[in-house]
Amino acid sequence: MGHGFLPVSRQDMIKQGIEELDFVYVIGDAYVDHPSFGHAIISRVLEARGYHVGIISQPDWRDENSIAILGRPRLAFLISGGNMDSMVNHYYVSGKRRSADAYTPGGVCGKRPDHAVVVYGNLIRRKFKDIPVIIGGIEASLRRLAHYDYWNNALKRSVLLDSQADLISYGMGERSIVEIAEALESGIDIKDICFIPGTVYKTKDISGITGAAQDEYNAVILPSYKEMVHTPEKYAQSFGIQYQNTDPFTGRTLVEEYPQGVYVVQNPPQKPLSTVEMDDIYALPYERSYHPSYEEKGGVPALTEVKFSLISNRGCFGGCSFCALNFHQGRIVQVRSHESILREAENMTKDPDFKGYIHDVGGPTANFRHPSCEKQLKCGVCKDRQCLFPTPCPNLEADHQDYRLLLQKLRALPGVKKVFIRSGIRFDYLLADKDDSFFRELVEHHISGQLKVAPEHISEPVLKRMGKPERSVYDRFVKKYEKLNKQLGKNQFLVPYLMSSHPGSTLKEAVELAEYLRDLGYMPEQVQDFYPTPSTLSTVMYYTGIDPITGDKVYVCRNPHEKNMQRALIQYKNPKNHDLIREALLKAGREDLIGFGEKCLIRPGKREGDSVGKKEIRSKDNKKDNRSKTRFDRVGQKKNKVIRNIHQKKT
């Protein structure tokens, strides 16, 4: 346990004997002192270096005095929008407002503004005009250069300019924030702090970082903001360059020009943390709970999911096009030691609320416990290919032995009944491992009735744009999973995550996915429509219609009605979707899937069971087809019901 929460009021400062804070950290989330929350890590890292840090959580952005409750900090204000981008936190992909905010006390909505980093930055500037302001967290990190903003349907400037901040600390930020603090402490003006990896700054003079284009030490000039606004193809070109410069070993400095001679400059990323550094960060004195002032409001819902989970790793070499991890955490996997994780688990078992179940041991991808190959830690990741896509790299080291040993140690701890894995298994990496002992132990010990995996789609043109393995790989995984369950006497299901309307998906591919689900006998209860969030390959495709890596033109479904049709096809058994599915099948030229045969998705007529349908059912032959279809429906419904019951029981 920790040694007390950081100050959130003047009274706290007096109690802790602090006359003046070095940093005031403004956050869009509730104050939760747990290492699953970015603000907790950054504030504790600074505290460990001897700095006094205070927290202002969810200030009233309509009142500039709300930003001054802890006074003027000696060195700087820090800003984070929260663990999620504030716009994703607030809105569904449809644009409808969400009804709950898991990162706010009591799950209440409306406690933070849209585009929180920008609003908080301007709020500080109105109250303290000359104070250094450093922004970070996922929202600032993924908006560090010009980016497409789905909610405004426009290309927006770097958040550094719109927030009026001085610096962005992008990525995970532990190293860069310490270097920034030390530079400020030494008396360096914030405008002169332009040399720290993992930061973005603004300037009007780039003469010192540019030169001959072939010089690997000189900056790369990206297309200007003006060019990108007028020519979306230029944005695709720019993003392709950014994508190839996210590695700390090979990444170049990037420069983006704005009007009035302003340049936004991105330094290369920070180097990955060593295991010792990771261990030190997770050993800091976190309280591992939300601030006690939230108790009367019902606590902070987001803590429930992570309170009894263990973070094992960072970084992901999976390379999914719709994921921003490549831009935020990077592709190089960084891990904690077994000893560090076991110490945390042992402390967890002493918590009065612990019931014997560790909910998760993982990270962005649970079964990535070491870099994909040895050369990454010396030379960085490859610029011209992915580790797993389209097929595993010949240099890939697929090995689960370290992870398997860690899980065995956790299972053996006194007080631990079960250790689950919920943060996601990369199934193609699992199959690439010639030793299936981890796969067997996964099925035997670490599944709560159902295993969630993410094939996302099954159509090859869509999988290609997603950066996901071909369908045959997932089919092999399913067969092996079922075989192991049978051998071990288990009755555990697979729950596949599926996505509709991803760039590259036409109605043809959406129908192909529906047919796959029909043959599988499974209908997902929830479907994720593609959500264009900042700084992903898929979002650039959505905005420009171009694959920024290959330069290929890509079909993009932007029409809300077509989006509804693609989503409805995945849930074709739902009677409410009948009209949309019928329209989609007719547009796709697949009338053969409308009828009473076992392969049909829907029956004829306007709605299932209407007068037209009833008349045709009276046909003797169609009665037989309809009985087959009904039996098929019942099997699927029974399977879905079993999955729900198991999930509810385990939960």
Side-chain angles (χ1 to χ4, degrees):
M1 297 296 288
H3 59 259
F5 287 88
L6 299 176
V8 299
S9 66
R10 290 278 193 173
Q11 290 78 8
D12 288 346
M13 291 172 61
I14 293 169
K15 288 178 183 177
Q16 296 179 31
I18 300 172
E19 294 182 6
E20 180 185 42
L21 293 167
D22 298 307
F23 294 96
V24 172
Y25 201 167
V26 180
I27 59 175
D29 288 341
Y31 176 27
V32 182
D33 193 29
H34 186 283
S36 290
F37 292 73
H39 63 254
I41 288 182
I42 295 299
S43 58
R44 289 298 185 185
V45 164
L46 286 170
E47 182 193 41
R49 298 306 193 281
Y51 296 102
H52 293 307
V53 184
I55 304 289
I56 298 180
S57 170
Q58 300 183 325
D60 182 354
W61 66 94
R62 292 154 296 223
D63 179 8
E64 64 183 38
N65 291 320
S66 67
I67 217 77
I69 60 171
L70 298 178
R72 179 189 176 98
R74 184 174 67 90
L75 294 176
F77 271 100
L78 308 177
I79 299 174
S80 169
N83 265 22
M84 291 175 64
D85 186 284
S86 60
M87 300 304 287
V88 178
N89 179 281
H90 286 170
Y91 300 99
Y92 293 104
V93 64
S94 64
K96 183 181 177 182
R97 188 93 181 185
R98 297 188 192 271
S99 58
D101 181 351
Y103 294 91
T104 294
V108 176
C109 286
K111 295 298 182 180
R112 84 184 83 205
D114 288 353
H115 298 289
V117 170
V118 171
V119 175
Y120 291 154
N122 283 275
L123 187 66
I124 292 169
R125 277 284 173 254
R126 289 199 298 273
K127 187 69 177 178
F128 303 99
K129 300 191 183 302
D130 59 343
I131 192 81
V133 176
I134 298 108
I135 58 177
I138 191 79
E139 184 168 329
S141 184
L142 300 183
R143 297 169 180 269
R144 59 188 184 257
L145 293 174
H147 55 280
Y148 172 67
D149 187 87
Y150 171 71
W151 304 272
N152 292 279
N153 191 28
L155 192 74
K156 300 198 75 169
R157 304 190 307 169
S158 164
V159 70
L160 184 65
L161 302 179
D162 288 343
S163 67
Q164 298 191 63
D166 297 289
L167 277 178
I168 299 175
S169 169
Y170 72 87
M172 299 306 283
E174 292 97 344
R175 277 188 173 159
S176 58
I177 198 63
V178 171
E179 292 185 43
I180 292 168
E182 290 173 346
L184 290 170
E185 183 68 60
S186 69
I188 299 176
D189 190 284
I190 187 70
K191 293 179 175 57
D192 295 325
I193 301 177
C194 55
F195 50 85
I196 297 174
T199 61
V200 179
Y201 64 94
K202 55 192 174 186
T203 182
K204 289 196 172 185
D205 181 10
I206 58 170
S207 59
I209 59 173
T210 56
Q214 67 271 20
D215 188 341
E216 62 177 320
Y217 296 104
N218 286 317
V220 177
I221 307 297
L222 301 173
S224 70
Y225 177 71
K226 184 177 180 181
E227 287 179 297
M228 291 187 285
V229 167
H230 292 293
T231 311
E233 291 82 1
K234 289 287 186 182
Y235 176 53
Q237 177 189 338
S238 175
F239 193 85
I241 296 170
Q242 295 173 47
Y243 196 79
Q244 292 180 330
N245 286 276
T246 56
D247 182 77
F249 295 91
T250 63
R252 304 270 294 274
T253 299
L254 304 179
V255 179
E256 195 171 68
E257 182 184 1
Y258 287 85
Q260 284 81 51
V262 175
Y263 297 91
V264 171
V265 182
Q266 174 186 300
N267 287 320
Q270 285 277 353
K271 293 289 194 297
L273 296 175
S274 67
T275 296
V276 171
E277 289 172 315
M278 286 276 284
D279 288 353
D280 287 345
I281 286 168
Y282 286 89
L284 292 171
Y286 305 99
E287 286 294 313
R288 309 192 68 82
S289 185
Y290 48 75
H291 194 273
S293 62
Y294 305 141
E295 195 65 51
E296 62 183 23
K297 298 176 183 177
V300 180
L303 179 64
T304 304
E305 193 64 29
V306 299
K307 185 175 182 180
F308 299 121
S309 296
L310 297 164
I311 296 172
S312 161
N313 59 62
R314 284 186 186 175
C316 181
F317 52 80
C320 299
S321 301
F322 47 82
C323 179
L325 277 171
N326 188 63
F327 260 59
H328 189 60
Q329 291 194 12
R331 288 168 59 187
I332 298 176
V333 172
Q334 303 144 71
V335 300
R336 296 169 61 189
S337 69
H338 289 198
E339 292 74 20
S340 170
I341 296 170
L342 288 168
R343 275 196 302 271
E344 184 176 349
E346 287 170 357
N347 289 332
M348 190 181 290
T349 62
K350 299 171 185 175
D351 190 300
D353 295 328
F354 184 70
K355 306 300 181 185
Y357 300 97
I358 295 176
H359 296 163
D360 188 26
V361 184
T365 300
N367 56 328
F368 288 174
R369 271 287 296 176
H370 59 82
S372 59
C373 67
E374 284 187 4
K375 84 177 194 69
Q376 282 189 4
L377 293 178
K378 296 179 181 179
C379 309
V381 297
C382 299
K383 285 191 174 186
D384 57 351
R385 73 154 296 149
Q386 293 287 340
C387 303
L388 286 167
F389 176 81
T391 57
C393 173
N395 294 324
L396 177 72
E397 298 175 0
D399 187 349
H400 291 84
Q401 291 311 306
D402 178 70
Y403 191 34
R404 183 168 72 97
L405 182 59
L406 170 63
L407 293 169
Q408 287 175 351
K409 292 176 181 178
L410 288 168
R411 294 202 307 266
L413 286 177
V416 173
K417 298 177 183 176
K418 192 86 171 178
V419 179
F420 296 118
I421 299 174
R422 292 180 177 173
S423 56
I425 292 290
R426 184 78 187 213
F427 59 84
D428 49 346
Y429 183 73
L430 191 62
L431 292 178
D433 189 347
K434 295 177 182 179
D435 181 354
D436 68 354
S437 56
F438 169 73
F439 201 164
R440 180 174 292 272
E441 285 197 20
L442 170 69
V443 172
E444 186 173 7
H445 296 291
H446 302 292
I447 296 173
S448 177
Q450 55 185 10
L451 178 65
K452 295 178 181 179
V453 288
E456 304 294 356
H457 215 280
I458 52 84
S459 176
E460 299 304 331
V462 184
L463 292 171
K464 177 183 176 183
R465 301 303 175 194
M466 288 179 161
K468 300 290 286 187
E470 59 188 22
R471 171 181 166 178
S472 62
V473 179
Y474 180 65
D475 289 342
R476 282 197 294 118
F477 169 75
V478 172
K479 287 180 181 178
K480 190 162 185 176
Y481 179 78
E482 291 175 345
K483 180 181 177 181
L484 287 171
N485 270 278
K486 187 175 181 181
Q487 289 176 355
L488 295 167
K490 299 283 187 178
N491 186 30
Q492 299 172 141
F493 298 98
L494 279 175
V495 178
Y497 284 129
L498 299 169
M499 186 182 295
S500 63
S501 305
H502 187 275
S505 178
T506 68
L507 284 174
K508 175 180 176 295
E509 285 76 32
V511 171
E512 189 178 343
L513 178 55
E515 290 184 284
Y516 175 83
L517 292 172
R518 173 202 64 201
D519 296 340
L520 190 65
Y522 171 73
M523 185 184 79
E525 293 184 6
Q526 292 183 332
V527 177
Q528 174 61 57
D529 195 2
F530 168 64
Y531 204 152
T533 56
S535 293
T536 71
L537 283 168
S538 299
T539 297
V540 179
M541 291 184 221
Y542 177 88
Y543 175 56
T544 66
I546 297 171
D547 185 324
I549 303 302
T550 65
D552 297 339
K553 290 188 176 180
V554 181
Y555 174 79
V556 177
C557 174
R558 298 189 185 91
N559 182 283
H561 188 62
E562 185 185 338
K563 280 176 171 286
N564 290 338
M565 286 192 287
Q566 290 206 26
R567 186 168 57 250
L569 279 163
I570 298 177
Q571 296 178 309
Y572 70 90
K573 289 184 180 181
N574 188 337
K576 294 179 181 178
N577 291 332
H578 183 277
D579 289 357
L580 280 170
I581 296 166
R582 185 175 187 278
E583 181 183 355
L585 293 175
L586 291 173
K587 284 190 174 184
R590 295 301 307 272
E591 294 92 337
D592 58 301
L593 296 177
I594 304 173
F596 300 96
E598 192 169 318
K599 295 292 184 181
C600 292
L601 298 181
I602 58 169
R603 298 170 182 172
K606 290 185 177 180
R607 289 194 182 276
E608 189 172 349
D610 68 4
S611 59
V612 177
K614 289 178 181 177
K615 188 181 292 184
E616 297 197 31
I617 289 174
R618 293 191 187 101
S619 162
K620 188 174 182 179
D621 292 336
N622 284 341
K623 278 185 179 181
K624 182 178 179 180
D625 288 339
N626 189 55
R627 284 196 297 271
S628 298
K629 184 72 168 62
T630 301
R631 282 196 299 272
F632 181 79
D633 285 345
R634 285 173 179 166
V635 170
Q637 290 167 1
K638 184 177 180 181
K639 187 173 182 180
N640 282 341
K641 185 176 180 181
V642 170
I643 291 175
R644 286 196 304 271
N645 288 341
I646 291 174
H647 179 65
Q648 290 169 356
K649 184 177 179 181
K650 294 292 182 183
T651 303

